[in-house]
Amino acid sequence: MEAITDTASNAWTSTKRALSSAPPNDAYLRWDAQGVEQLVPDEETKTDKVAEIMNRMQRHNFDQHRHAYRATHVKSQGIVKGTLTVPSDLPRHLAQGLFAHPGSYPVCARYANEPVFLQSDTVPGPRGMGLKVFNCPKSEPRITDDAGNNEESNTQDFLFNNAPMLELTDIDTTLDIMALREKHFDNPIALSAATKLRTDALKQNAPGMLPNTNIISHGMYTQSAFRFGDYYGHMALFPILDEQTNPKSSTQSVSSSDPHNVLKDWLFDYFNHQPAKYEFKIQLGTDPAHHPTEDASIVWDEATAPYQTIGYIEFPVQNSFDHERRVFWEDHMRLDPWRGLEAHRPLGSVNRVRRGVYAKSTKQRDELNARESYDIQHVDEIP
């Protein structure tokens, strides 16, 4: 049956490819080609407004819990250490940036719920993973700030969610939705009602339709576009061990009677007994009309931008909810793809708005918690 399904799927993909007006799949477009990025009018002003809203929501969380959290992905579900392996036989178009340097790199990852408030796991919604890679090659240039300065660091951050599209779409939609989230911060029902009145109601309510299952079974996606050396693309992580993808994990659904922290418990139980492994893949864009950076709500068709493997991430058996590690991450870890390698520069307006939001979010979190976030340089600094 599986072979029949694969054959049918491949036939359908080939048919879509044949009917598509997209360039050939291997006609990869440069990241800085005309049309890949398009700046939005008043982008800086809009970014400041989004940052102010996010800061107020952080303050709201602080007033409730007497602790400041990140602007999103507030609730930790697990934090694990592992290894990224970059193969030595990648073809030239995939041997880009960090992935042009074969070898093993220490990593640390945090699984989390996406919402800006502490939400029960019984409520469906996006789940994410923040990944920090250590010991990145010093020969790879780093992103500079507006003053032309760059950070002395050896890390690269990647941020993932368990859906291939981002409903926030672009900077204008982000501003609208964040204003609604602030207005209805304490009333999710009112927020849902408000988004259902929008012309993009289906898209805005899509996150609540995600399967509420064991996080270990989820594929994880960058959702937005990033530079990939000479080219640009969407990256993703796909679980590949049987223990992650078997029915026990992939169909283990949360029920309304489960504990509020059931996803943390399932993750803890999983890592207490077996390792996890992900295939690190990328879709490379060939045409902004088919593979846009400025609309993060569009899922790139795999028929015209197939996923290609660029590495593997492995997490061994471990305590995924060590409290010392959790507190260290929540109080001191700084994750920001804008403080990474130039070869993996974030692209599109949803990423450009993050550049301003993340810095201000970190600053306020540190001030309210009387802590200091900084760029961890060695995985052994993490408990």
Side-chain angles (χ1 to χ4, degrees), residues 311-329:
Y312 299 90
I313 291 179
E314 298 180 76
F315 299 114
V317 172
Q318 59 192 286
N319 178 355
S320 65
F321 208 74
D322 178 88
H323 290 296
E324 186 180 4
R325 180 180 293 178
R326 176 187 59 79
V327 170
F328 181 88
W329 185 292

Side-chain angles (χ1 to χ4, degrees), residues 271-287:
F271 277 111
N272 199 39
H273 295 93
Q274 54 253 324
K277 186 174 183 179
Y278 295 86
E279 198 166 11
F280 204 140
K281 293 191 170 189
I282 188 165
Q283 292 177 289
L284 293 175
T286 63
D287 181 354

Side-chain angles (χ1 to χ4, degrees), residues 137-144 150 156 227 340-344:
K138 292 288 188 180
S139 59
E140 287 289 335
R142 300 190 68 81
I143 296 173
T144 58
N150 57 23
Q156 173 64 45
R227 178 180 176 183
L341 303 180
E342 175 59 43
H344 303 305

